[in-house]
């Protein structure tokens, strides 16, 4: 647990007063629900019996030490675990009531988007990156005129448009790390997903970019449900509405951010939050 | 570092040896150009054009005709047709095979593919030619071409099975491993995170490979295609065995028969005229053809470099 | 399906469900389904073609190959299918392989050493590398013709066949062997150069720090390290030499028998014309003179066996050495 220097000096885009726990928002409708989900890699359980609820308007943070299964749980939500051979699961996950195993995986992932730990923009222009999923989903080849408003909209919501409005056709790989990650977020939300999954999105970035992205998460929260995996407890404190603490594959405790950080019920949660192990 | 004298000596020695290759090349180019000069000076560029029966013209020269007279366009056309079709087919097959290996093949089959490709690449061209002439040509000639079709063109050419179809088939098999191997190698260097990102956006794995990974290695594919084209153009023995031995220009207007028509390529002509090289007229023509082949190789190399440069715009630290 | 808030969890199953391993192809768009089908076809067809070539050659080869063929010389006779063997071509192939490799390997290693370890002046190094690249990209037939032009030139006449009338044909084992070395050169060169480049600089620095000269470093430190890569490159070159036909047909005369030139035993042989397995196959096929397909099949079987053994050898040696050489091999197909 490191002391975030932003607490000391005023950062550019963080609004004052954001340092305390996030204001309680009235939670929206439930979007996804996990029913006793277990995930096995070749018979070794990575996640055991997880039951969680994901609501719109909420940021759910999955916290826990390395190897506790939080990333695996996240990747189960958009069935990305299927890419790993030997992965099986039990239990149900529903998206708006539908069992996600019954949906087409391509359609599922258009509704449940993901941002990865390492920014991975494609070797194309900024515009093509954001328009990528839009082009692939369209029936016939959409014209640039049709795509532009959607692309610009996504870039604006990701807080990137102002910086690159003149450079939409420049290579995406020339952007800085923080810009690339925001581009990946823009790319992920371009298709108007219902859920946004984020796998430690700031761990490869510098503190300033981290602050920008945290603010971004706050603003996106209203339209989407966001699930974020993070090993940075301070970050979880700053941006999470609900927190689930995982340890060795089990969801040990789950509750509002205030409960978990101020008054956790479980011993192990208390130890982790206090920094006894990491 | 001690004793610089031995270093200097070694450097000079190694340098001289290294330059031997370079000097050898220059010498060869000079000699060949000199040998080919008569054809160029005599005919100028019309040498490359069409006009008359190339076989007859070369035959006349071989038998001691006074001057050089030849129009080699049918040979150029034959080379372009066979190599072009073969490279296009090979490109399609290679890309599909790459997709197969990367996304679709079950694990056991995947391990088999690379040895298979290496095997196909190392079969000597004369063996491809042998199988072509002893198996494919009779098959095409007896089982595919109908008597009626043979009848229809009997005045002009004989349809024996040796011709465009078998030539392209063999060249395709010879050239596919080149493109496939280089494509797979280039794919291995593409970060897997791109593919994962595309799948996470809702693309199926095959679509993700095409839209991201293959797109990212376009320069490598271009380079591989150029290599394959040079190889196809230069293949003499196998083509000579299965192309029908007549300098005919297959005509699309003939319908289906088009693929059965015989032809001759530049490379196969060089091999064919191997015995007649003592005749100066034939010799200069053959050398001129060799220069043409070498020149086309250079053109392919330059074109490939230019195309690759324009494709690299969006890659940076890929 | 009821969308919206779910209040009742569906029936829990304790049974493990297999996560769908592959995206259900049936749900894909049509064009992707077509690609899926074609990709499967391409992959399996490639395997089938390779397999059937090997099986076919084996069947035909075993049918027609008799041990006597390996030890008897080709003899001209009316009954082509019954007479003679391919001892001469076999010797020819071995000779080609020997000359080609013996000439190419030191040349390639020296060139690679110079380029990587010295490489001055820069312009010259660039020219040499370009020259090798050009040779690598040039088809066999063009090299054969170029070689013919070279060896018909007066100076090189002693190396080649001189007809009874005194005309220099420029054909001989020596001429063909030298051209063979040219096609093996780029492969050995690339393997050695890649291996040298991959050798960590600490290796050289440590040697210099001990006071060794560059020459000694090369001899004692670098060369031993890249030994197996040189072997890989040489074997790749060997494979290419053995499979080459065009050079043989043009530069060796492609007669069925080996005909030495002049009296001196070894030198006469090398100056004479002859054949190799590849040209033997060519001549015995309907394209050539012999028209004895059985012999062609037998020789083809022997040839493909040699090639397969060489392939296995390359795989074996390359595993011992660094991956650099294997890369060079794949690139210089």
């Amino acid at each position: 647990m490191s002391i975030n220097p932003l607490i000391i000096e005023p950062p550019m885009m963080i609004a004052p007063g954001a340092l305390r726990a996030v204001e309680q928002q009235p939670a929206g409708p439930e979007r996804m629900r996990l029913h006793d989900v277990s995930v096995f890699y070749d018979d070794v359980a990575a996640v055991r019996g997880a039951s969680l609820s994901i609501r719109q308007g909420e940021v759910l943070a999955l916290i826990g030490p390395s190897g506790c299964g939080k990333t695996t749980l996240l990747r189960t939500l958009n069935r990305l675990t299927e890419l790993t051979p030997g992965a099986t699961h039990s239990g149900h996950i529903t998206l708006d009531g539908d069992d996600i195993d019954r949906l087409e995986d391509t359609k599922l992932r258009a509704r449940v988007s993901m941002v990865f730990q390492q920014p991975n923009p494609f070797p194309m222009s900024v515009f093509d990156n954001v328009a990528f999923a839009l082009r692939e989903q369209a029936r016939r080849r959409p014209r640039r005129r049709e795509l532009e408003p959607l692309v610009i909209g996504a870039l604006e919501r990701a807080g990137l448009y102002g910086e690159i409005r003149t450079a939409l056709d420049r290579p995406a790989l020339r952007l800085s790390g923080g810009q690339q990650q925001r581009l990946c977020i823009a790319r992920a939300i371009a298709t108007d997903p219902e859920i946004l999954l984020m796998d430690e999105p700031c761990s490869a970035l510098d503190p300033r970019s981290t602050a920008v992205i945290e603010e971004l998460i706050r603003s996106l929260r209203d339209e989407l449900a966001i699930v974020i995996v993070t090993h940075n407890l301070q970050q979880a404190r700053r941006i999470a509405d609900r927190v689930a603490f995982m340890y060795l594959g089990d969801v040990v405790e789950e509750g509002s951010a205030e409960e978990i950080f101020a008054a956790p019920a479980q011993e192990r949660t208390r130890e982790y939050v206090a920094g006894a192990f990491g | 570092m001690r004793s610089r004298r031995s270093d200097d000596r070694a450097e000079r020695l190694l340098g001289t040896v290294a330059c031997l290759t370079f000097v050898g090349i220059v010498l060869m180019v000079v000699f060949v150009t000199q040998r080919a000069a008569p054809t160029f000076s005599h005919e100028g560029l019309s040498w490359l054009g069409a006009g008359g029966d190339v076989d007859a013209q070369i035959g006349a020269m071989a038998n001691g005709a006074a001057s050089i007279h030849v129009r080699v366009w049918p040979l150029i056309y034959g080379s372009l047709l066979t190599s072009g079709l073969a490279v296009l087919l090979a490109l399609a097959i290679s890309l599909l095979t790459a997709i197969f290996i990367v996304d679709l093949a079950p694990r056991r089959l995947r391990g088999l593919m690379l040895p298979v490709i290496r095997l196909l690449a190392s079969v000597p061209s004369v063996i491809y030619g042998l199988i072509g002439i002893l198996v494919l040509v009779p098959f095409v000639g007896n089982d595919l071409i109908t008597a009626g079709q043979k009848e229809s063109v009997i005045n002009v050419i004989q349809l024996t099975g040796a011709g465009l179809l078998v030539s392209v088939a063999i060249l395709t098999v010879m050239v596919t491993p080149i493109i496939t191997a280089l494509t797979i190698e280039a794919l291995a260097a593409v970060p897997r995170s791109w593919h994962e990102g595309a799948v996470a956006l809702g693309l199926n794995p095959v679509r993700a490979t095409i839209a991201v990974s293959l797109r990212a290695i376009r320069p490598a594919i271009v380079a591989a295609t150029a290599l394959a084209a040079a190889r196809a153009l230069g293949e003499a023995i196998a083509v000579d065995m299965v192309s029908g031995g007549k300098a005919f220009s297959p005509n699309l207007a003939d319908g289906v028969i088009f693929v059965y028509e015989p032809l001759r390529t530049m490379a196969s002509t060089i091999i064919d005229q191997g015995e007649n090289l003592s005749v100066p007229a034939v010799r200069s023509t053959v050398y001129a053809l060799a220069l043409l082949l070498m020149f086309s190789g250079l053109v392919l190399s330059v074109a490939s470099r230019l195309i690759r440069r324009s494709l690299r715009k969006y890659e940076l630290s890929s | 399906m009821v969308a919206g808030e779910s209040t009742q969890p569906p029936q829990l199953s304790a049974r493990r469900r297999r996560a769908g391993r592959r995206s259900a192809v049936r749900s894909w768009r049509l064009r992707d389904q077509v690609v899926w089908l074609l990709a499967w076809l391409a992959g399996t067809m490639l395997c089938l073609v390779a397999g059937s070539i090997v099986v076919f050659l084996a069947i035909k080869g075993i049918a027609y190959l008799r041990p006597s063929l390996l030890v008897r010389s080709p003899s001209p006779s009316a009954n082509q299918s019954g007479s003679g063997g391919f001892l001469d071509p076999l010797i020819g192939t071995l000779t080609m392989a020997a000359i080609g490799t013996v000439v190419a390997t030191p040349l390639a290693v020296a060139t690679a050493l110079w380029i990587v370890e010295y490489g001055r002046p820069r312009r010259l190094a660039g020219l040499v590398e370009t020259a090798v690249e050009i040779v690598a990209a040039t088809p066999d037939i063009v090299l054969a013709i170029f070689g013919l032009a070279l060896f018909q030139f007066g100076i090189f006449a002693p190396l080649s066949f001189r007809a009874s009338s005194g005309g220099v044909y420029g054909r001989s084992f020596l001429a063909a062997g030298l051209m063979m070395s040219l096609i093996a050169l780029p492969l050995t060169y690339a393997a050695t150069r890649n291996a040298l480049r991959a050798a960590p600089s600490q290796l050289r620095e440590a040697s210099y720090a001990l006071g060794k000269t560059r020459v000694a470093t090369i001899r004692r430190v670098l060369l031993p390290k890249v030994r197996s890569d040189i072997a890989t490159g040489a074997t790749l070159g060997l494979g290419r030499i053995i499979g080459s036909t065009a050079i043989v047909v043009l530069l060796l005369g492609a007669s069925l028998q080996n005909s030495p030139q002049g009296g001196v035993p070894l030198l006469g042989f090398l100056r004479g014309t002859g054949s190799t397995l590849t040209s033997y196959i060519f001549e015995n096929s309907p394209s050539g003179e012999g028209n004895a397909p059985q012999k062609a099949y037998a020789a083809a079987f022997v040839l493909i066996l040699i090639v397969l053994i060489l392939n296995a050898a390359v795989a074996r040696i390359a595993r011992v050495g660094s991956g650099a050489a294997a890369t060079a091999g794949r690139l210089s197909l």
Side-chain angles (χ1 to χ4, degrees), chain A residues 35 43 89 91-92 101 105 136, chain C residues 3 9 11 16-17 20 23 29:
Chain A
H35 304 273
D43 297 337
H89 69 262
H92 295 262
D101 279 320
D105 51 357
E136 290 298 323
Chain C
Q11 272 303 316
R16 254 179 240 174
R17 261 183 295 146
S23 177
R29 210 182 275 189

Side-chain angles (χ1 to χ4, degrees), chain A residues 75 80 83 85 106 109-110 112 114 116 120-125 132-133 136-137 169 171 173-174 187-188, chain B residues 107 193-205 207-208 211-212 215-216 313-318:
Chain A
R75 290 164 71 92
L80 221 53
L83 293 184
T106 51
R109 292 178 190 131
V112 182
M114 189 167 211
F116 296 86
N120 58 354
F122 301 135
M124 308 167 187
S125 68
F132 186 76
E136 290 298 323
Q137 282 171 4
D169 290 317
L173 290 173
R174 291 229 187 114
R187 184 176 69 185
Chain B
R107 196 169 277 173
S193 58
W194 286 342
H195 187 265
E196 191 178 48
V199 171
L201 283 173
L203 274 67
N204 63 66
R207 191 82 223 138
V212 178
R215 194 178 181 284
K313 265 190 309 176
Y314 289 112
E315 301 164 29
L316 198 66
S317 43
S318 52

Side-chain angles (χ1 to χ4, degrees), chain A:
Chain A
M1 288 178 11
S2 59
I3 304 218
N4 193 317
L6 287 173
I7 294 180
I8 305 175
E9 60 168 0
M12 278 202 317
M13 288 181 68
I14 297 284
L19 302 174
R20 57 177 163 79
V22 157
E23 297 116 31
Q24 285 300 324
Q25 300 251 5
E30 179 180 84
R31 285 296 192 171
M32 286 186 88
R33 193 183 191 95
L34 287 82
H35 304 273
D36 196 24
V37 172
S38 301
V39 182
F40 305 90
Y41 288 126
D42 289 323
D43 297 337
V44 176
V47 173
R48 272 196 296 255
S51 294
L52 289 173
S53 169
I54 299 167
R55 303 186 132 75
Q56 180 169 337
E58 259 185 8
V59 174
L60 170 66
L62 301 178
I63 62 173
S66 294
C68 65
K70 48 191 198 288
T71 299
T72 306
L73 186 56
L74 192 77
R75 290 164 71 92
T76 312
L77 294 177
N78 66 352
R79 284 169 61 186
L80 221 53
T81 41
E82 285 171 9
L83 293 184
T84 315
T88 57
H89 69 262
S90 69
H92 295 262
I93 305 178
T94 56
L95 172 65
D96 286 339
D98 304 324
D99 188 343
I100 65 171
D101 279 320
R102 301 246 170 100
L103 296 173
E104 278 173 39
D105 51 357
T106 51
K107 298 242 167 48
L108 168 71
R109 292 178 190 131
R111 294 163 66 185
V112 182
S113 284
M114 189 167 211
V115 174
F116 296 86
Q117 188 171 345
Q118 286 288 343
N120 58 354
F122 301 135
M124 308 167 187
S125 68
V126 169
F127 187 91
D128 287 333
N129 260 282
V130 183
F132 186 76
L134 295 169
R135 282 197 175 115
E136 290 298 323
Q137 282 171 4
R139 275 284 118 194
R140 44 156 195 79
R141 201 156 183 72
R143 317 284 274 295
R144 178 152 174 146
R145 277 180 288 132
E146 299 165 2
L147 292 170
E148 244 180 34
L150 296 169
V151 168
I152 295 180
L155 286 169
E156 276 173 346
R157 281 155 70 202
L160 189 58
Y161 187 59
E163 291 168 44
I164 52 152
R165 66 188 322 144
T166 52
L168 285 182
D169 290 317
R170 301 272 308 288
L173 290 173
R174 291 229 187 114
L175 300 178
S176 74
Q179 288 173 324
Q180 284 187 9
Q181 191 65 303
R182 276 180 285 154
L183 175 62
C184 292
I185 295 176
R187 184 176 69 185
I189 61 179
T191 53
D192 261 333
E194 298 161 34
I195 320 270
L196 183 61
L197 308 176
M198 309 183 92
D199 186 1
E200 303 200 38
C202 303
S203 63
L205 303 177
D206 61 278
R208 179 147 289 184
S209 308
T210 302
V212 170
I213 290 185
E214 287 178 5
E215 175 65 20
L216 179 56
I217 295 177
R218 254 188 288 261
S219 66
L220 287 174
R221 185 177 39 161
D222 302 321
E223 317 146 22
L224 313 165
I226 299 184
V227 184
I228 178 168
V229 163
T230 178
H231 67 262
N232 185 339
L233 286 174
Q234 303 295 53
Q235 180 173 76
R237 258 188 243 263
R238 285 193 294 275
I239 60 176
D241 296 309
R242 293 190 74 77
V243 173
F245 167 62
M246 293 186 68
Y247 184 68
L248 292 184
D250 297 306
V251 175
V252 174
E253 193 172 341
E254 186 244 339
S256 78
E258 280 201 333
E259 287 164 18
I260 299 289
F261 285 119
Q266 300 284 333
E267 177 72 29
R268 205 172 288 277
T269 318
R270 202 173 317 144
E271 287 172 9
Y272 181 72
V273 163
F277 60 99

Side-chain angles (χ1 to χ4, degrees), chain C residues 15-270:
Chain C
R15 199 172 28 93
R16 254 179 240 174
R17 261 183 295 146
R18 166 162 285 278
R21 220 189 124 237
R22 297 279 184 222
S23 177
V25 186
R26 214 164 308 168
S27 64
W28 296 358
R29 210 182 275 189
L30 180 66
R31 65 172 175 179
D32 295 335
Q33 289 177 328
V34 171
V35 171
W36 178 89
L37 182 66
L38 290 178
W40 263 97
L41 278 177
T44 44
M45 259 204 336
L46 228 59
C47 292
L48 281 176
V49 167
S52 48
I53 290 180
V54 172
V55 166
F56 178 73
L57 285 175
I59 293 178
K60 290 290 188 183
I62 295 179
Y64 297 124
L65 182 64
R66 302 182 304 274
S68 58
L69 282 176
L70 287 169
V71 297
R72 279 199 282 165
S73 290
S75 50
S77 94
N79 178 13
Q80 263 304 304
S81 50
S83 64
F86 41 80
L87 178 65
D88 280 25
L90 207 54
I91 296 180
T93 300
L94 290 172
T95 315
M96 282 296 104
I99 300 179
T101 315
V102 161
V103 172
T105 311
L107 218 67
V109 173
T111 309
L113 275 175
W114 183 73
I115 292 270
V116 177
E117 302 299 319
Y118 298 96
R120 293 172 310 183
R122 273 280 170 79
R123 278 274 173 82
L124 196 56
L127 280 177
V128 170
E129 278 237 84
T130 313
V132 176
E133 264 177 38
I134 292 181
V135 171
T138 313
D140 287 9
I141 185 82
V142 175
L143 284 175
I145 281 288
F146 279 32
L148 204 57
L150 197 67
F151 289 109
Q152 281 178 342
F153 202 64
I155 304 182
F156 296 100
L159 287 174
S160 66
F161 188 77
R162 191 180 284 273
S164 46
S165 57
V168 178
Y169 283 110
R171 294 177 172 152
S172 70
F173 271 105
L174 277 177
L178 284 173
M179 276 302 121
M180 292 291 190
S181 69
L182 211 55
I183 63 173
L185 179 78
L187 288 165
T188 315
Y189 164 79
T192 313
R193 179 203 59 191
N194 290 1
L196 283 173
R197 284 215 181 118
S201 53
Q202 289 94 316
L203 216 57
R204 300 175 180 86
E205 285 161 17
S207 177
Y208 297 150
L210 286 174
K212 296 279 174 205
T213 64
R214 194 165 258 176
V215 180
T217 307
I218 291 178
R219 257 198 325 158
R220 296 287 161 78
V221 177
L222 286 175
L223 278 183
K225 180 140 176 61
V226 302
R227 217 182 358 210
S228 61
D229 297 293
I230 298 179
T232 308
T235 316
L236 286 168
L238 192 60
R240 198 163 165 205
I241 290 177
I242 290 186
S244 162
T245 316
I247 294 182
V248 175
V249 168
L250 284 184
L251 281 175
L252 200 51
S255 53
L256 283 176
Q257 284 174 311
N258 294 340
S259 324
Q261 163 83 17
V264 187
L266 185 61
L267 197 57
F269 170 70
L270 290 176

Side-chain angles (χ1 to χ4, degrees), chain B residues 82 123-134 136-137 162-163 166-175 231-232 234-245 263 265 267-268 271, chain C residues 141 243-246 249 278 282 285 287:
Chain B
T82 49
V123 173
S125 47
V126 71
I127 291 188
Y128 279 123
L130 189 71
I131 297 182
I133 196 171
L134 288 178
L136 293 178
V137 167
V166 182
S167 307
V168 171
I170 295 212
L171 273 182
T172 306
V173 176
M174 292 175 78
V175 149
R231 176 88 172 80
E235 180 49 50
I237 289 283
V239 174
D240 185 49
M241 291 166 91
V242 302
S243 57
L263 55 92
T265 67
S268 67
I271 275 279
Chain C
I141 185 82
S244 162
T245 316
V249 168
T278 47
F282 183 64
S285 74
S287 312

